[in-house]
Amino acid sequence: MAVNVRRGLEIPEPSDYSSCEDDDVSYYTDLQQPDNNLPESARVINKLLNNLVDSAWEVISKQEKIKRGEEAARQIPVLNATKEMKLPGRTNSIVSSDDGLYLFLGHTHGVSVISTSTLTCVRTWQDERVEITSISCASLGNATHLLFTVDDMGIARLFVHHMENIYLIKVINETEDINQRNICAKFEVSRSGDFGAAVMTSSGSVWLDVYRFPVDVWLKELETKQATQTQQNTEAKLSPVILLMKIKPPEIPTGTSLKSPSEVLQKTEEGTIIGSGQNHFISSRQWENQDAAFKKMFMKYLSSSSAMPPQQKAEGPSNCTCHFLLREGFHSLPGEAKAARDIPIAVCLWWNGSYNLLQYLLMKTLKEKDSEPRPDVLWPNSQKILCSAISACTRFVVLGLDGQLVTIWDRRFGCPYANIVIPGDGAICRMRLLLQSQLPVTQLFQGPFLPTLQLVLTCRSGACYSVTAGRGGDTCTVALIERSADPGSSVTVAEPVPFLKFLILLMQRNGQVSIWKTEDCAPVFILNLPPTHVLGSLREPVCLLEPVQQKLYITGDRKAPLVEVTDRNKDESALFIFSFSECTLMDLYRVSSPAVSEKETRATLSDLEEVYNLYFKERAEHKKRNRNLAFQWEQLSKRDIK
């Protein structure tokens, strides 16, 4: 075998430059530096090859993702509706009684009462001129329920369902002259039925009317009139409703003649509420000077908005959101009257575009009867409030703020429980809250002071997030469905399932209904309607998740041509029932004893000493907190703190 050996080549002696002393610095600071030493033609070819490989890898990754999604969809169990019921008309709202025995439907022709055991309509209040858009319920016991409805014309009505009969008690905003009628935007009622609040609008102004309902007197009157009235009667004259207060939006602060802080505190009612901006000693001259300095500093930015009409600049709030609050915690407010545990003691509210959450006592003895009600507690926030939710025990108030911020207020201690930043750029529009530490219920009577909260947030972009929040910044945010270019994947309904552990009900704009697991961020069940029906409204589906009977009610419309869809006389709607209690596939996620009653989720606290003992006992027994403290001390010991 011939071997060609070139002669004259000698191994060069090592130079001083390549000494071992420089081995530590002989590395590339730029990953592309080896390619820069290549000729230009080789670099172009290398760049083209890299782009080709990257694009090919991107296509392969997308195909693999689609393939995995299809395979996962084939493996996800599909649940079909167990029962079906034809509805009397297009249903806009549905609510159930506390025991789950009755459903109350608000539809195009009035109100219907449905028995969940037989799925039959037991009573109906009809009016061909009325279309109910929202309905709420309060159970009074003894098969008696208060129903509050709002129709498409802004008329609020109060009904009572007693012994399978339904009676109209009062039209809240009834007037003789229809041109002077106030429009009811929404109506909220407490769980006990003792209080109600209606958001009224008229001539561009908005306010909140808070009512007191004599529930005990009504029950006695219904028992006496039950024997005399026939089933054909649809009205009942009962004791009148009491208007407690009329709350108006806070006025824009103006100049004042007060000259000292002591005068401001005297003006402030009992000196307990500070921060609303209504009582100050800033003169009108100071406001004018501040406004002039602001305009001078930002002249070029204000030039574009100077042509706007003046009425758009000074636009007031257009809506109000309120929640009724039960007694919570050991603190008492001045002027607060004693109340039973199941009766609300206060109402909290916020106005559109406001930064503050205001709280008003319901059973407060006013010194001046004709004076306007003033807030007793103010909860300040760093951004504008967009949406809100409260826990079943009303201890926690969750506020969705502008800038993807979420603040959880703890009423028991009067301080923020957690502050969370939601990823993305979509504004938060809806949220639901669930206390994970409600299970088992027996632990709640001994605490706990530091429960874990589960939040389900929906953004205007269609994204949906699940947040697990604890005290002290212990939060975990999981993106269930991120913002997508496909509008069909946007989430319209997101609600935690209280009787299934860590499962969330999601309804999307494309009509898909599924149950998701927060830990895996993937659907575990798909709920299918019959092929002949679709969701009644893809943007705002009408559904109800009933925790006692563990059922899901969804309204659907029959698929029909466009001509029949526009014809209301051919409206064929149906109510589909998914019974989760009969599904054996959900036994793995089922909660043994779900807490569905407000009375079972509140702790009874007698005095400060008992509170302190329970609080320190729980802090001492909190294993996770002890581990975190040990870790923090270990980190501090490793650092040289000077």
Side-chain angles (χ1 to χ4, degrees), residues 114-345:
I114 308 297
S115 174
T116 57
S117 58
T118 59
L119 290 181
T120 57
C121 182
V122 296
R123 191 60 57 193
T124 301
W125 180 86
Q126 291 186 352
D127 191 340
E128 297 297 332
R129 302 169 298 175
V130 174
E131 179 176 357
I132 303 298
T133 57
S134 66
I135 184 172
S136 56
C137 172
S139 299
L140 305 181
N142 194 18
T144 305
H145 309 88
L146 290 180
L147 304 178
F148 305 85
T149 64
V150 180
D151 62 9
D152 56 343
M153 300 301 293
I155 302 177
R157 295 178 175 85
L158 173 59
F159 297 88
V160 60
H161 172 247
H162 179 68
M163 297 298 178
E164 295 192 354
N165 291 325
I166 186 170
Y167 306 103
L168 176 62
I169 298 180
K170 180 178 177 56
V171 179
I172 299 298
N173 50 349
E174 183 179 14
T175 56
E176 297 180 357
D177 188 0
I178 191 174
N179 297 324
Q180 298 180 357
R181 177 185 296 165
N182 301 325
I183 304 300
C184 180
K186 63 174 69 173
F187 199 100
E188 299 289 341
V189 62
S190 62
R191 291 284 300 272
S192 61
D194 294 273
F195 297 94
V199 181
M200 295 292 183
T201 60
S202 177
S203 302
S205 59
V206 59
W207 66 91
L208 182 71
D209 287 337
V210 182
Y211 300 93
R212 175 72 182 268
F213 304 125
V215 177
D216 297 334
V217 178
W218 286 351
L219 289 176
K220 295 180 181 179
E221 293 176 351
L222 288 173
E223 291 178 359
T224 56
K225 294 182 180 181
Q226 181 67 26
T228 59
Q229 290 185 347
T230 61
Q231 295 184 356
Q232 286 75 18
N233 293 336
T234 59
E235 295 185 3
K237 294 183 178 180
L238 303 179
S239 299
V241 177
I242 303 173
L243 178 61
L244 282 184
M245 63 183 77
K246 181 178 181 180
I247 304 175
K248 298 181 180 180
E251 299 179 356
I252 300 176
T254 57
T256 181
S257 58
L258 302 179
K259 299 180 180 180
S260 65
S262 59
E263 295 182 8
V264 175
L265 292 178
Q266 292 177 2
K267 279 287 186 179
T268 304
E269 186 178 2
E270 298 183 4
T272 58
I273 175 67
I274 299 176
S276 63
Q278 300 302 315
N279 298 307
H280 57 84
F281 59 99
I282 302 177
S283 63
S284 302
R285 183 67 177 272
Q286 289 177 299
W287 285 117
E288 295 175 359
N289 295 338
Q290 183 181 7
D291 185 57
F294 180 84
K295 291 181 179 180
K296 184 178 180 180
M297 183 178 298
F298 301 99
M299 180 64 68
K300 60 179 181 179
Y301 301 103
L302 298 174
S303 58
S304 59
S305 61
S306 60
M308 296 176 58
Q311 61 270 19
Q312 294 185 5
K313 294 182 180 180
E315 184 178 0
S318 59
N319 206 341
C320 173
T321 302
C322 65
H323 305 280
F324 288 98
L325 304 177
L326 304 174
R327 177 178 293 277
E328 179 60 51
F330 53 86
H331 57 276
S332 60
L333 299 176
E336 178 181 330
K338 301 298 181 181
R341 294 179 63 248
D342 57 346
I343 298 179
I345 63 169

Side-chain angles (χ1 to χ4, degrees), residues 294-423:
F294 180 84
K295 291 181 179 180
K296 184 178 180 180
M297 183 178 298
F298 301 99
M299 180 64 68
K300 60 179 181 179
Y301 301 103
L302 298 174
S303 58
S304 59
S305 61
S306 60
M308 296 176 58
Q311 61 270 19
Q312 294 185 5
K313 294 182 180 180
E315 184 178 0
S318 59
N319 206 341
C320 173
T321 302
C322 65
H323 305 280
F324 288 98
L325 304 177
L326 304 174
R327 177 178 293 277
E328 179 60 51
F330 53 86
H331 57 276
S332 60
L333 299 176
E336 178 181 330
K338 301 298 181 181
R341 294 179 63 248
D342 57 346
I343 298 179
I345 63 169
V347 58
C348 67
L349 58 93
W350 55 273
W351 303 91
N352 282 15
S354 174
Y355 290 74
N356 300 326
L357 179 70
L358 307 177
Q359 179 174 326
Y360 297 81
L361 294 177
L362 296 175
M363 291 172 284
K364 182 178 180 180
T365 56
L366 296 178
K367 295 181 178 180
E368 299 178 4
K369 296 183 179 180
D370 299 333
S371 62
E372 294 185 2
R374 298 180 181 180
D376 299 281
V377 179
L378 183 142
W379 308 82
N381 300 277
S382 59
Q383 299 290 338
K384 293 182 180 180
I385 305 176
L386 302 179
C387 56
S388 61
I390 60 172
S391 59
C393 57
T394 70
R395 170 184 173 180
F396 299 98
V397 180
V398 186
L399 301 178
L401 308 178
D402 194 10
Q404 296 79 49
L405 300 177
V406 176
T407 297
I408 304 177
W409 286 98
D410 187 356
R411 293 181 51 236
R412 181 169 297 182
F413 298 105
C415 61
Y417 191 78
N419 292 294
I420 308 164
V421 180
I422 304 300

Side-chain angles (χ1 to χ4, degrees), residues 14-15 19 41 78 80 136 141 166 201 250 266 372 400 438 463 537 547 579 585 588 600-601 605 615 623 627:
S15 62
S19 60
S41 58
V78 178
N80 297 319
S136 56
I166 186 170
T201 60
Q266 292 177 2
E372 294 185 2
Q438 288 182 356
S537 176
S579 181
L585 297 176
L588 181 62
E600 298 174 351
T601 57
L605 306 173
Y615 180 70
K623 298 180 180 180
R627 290 196 301 267

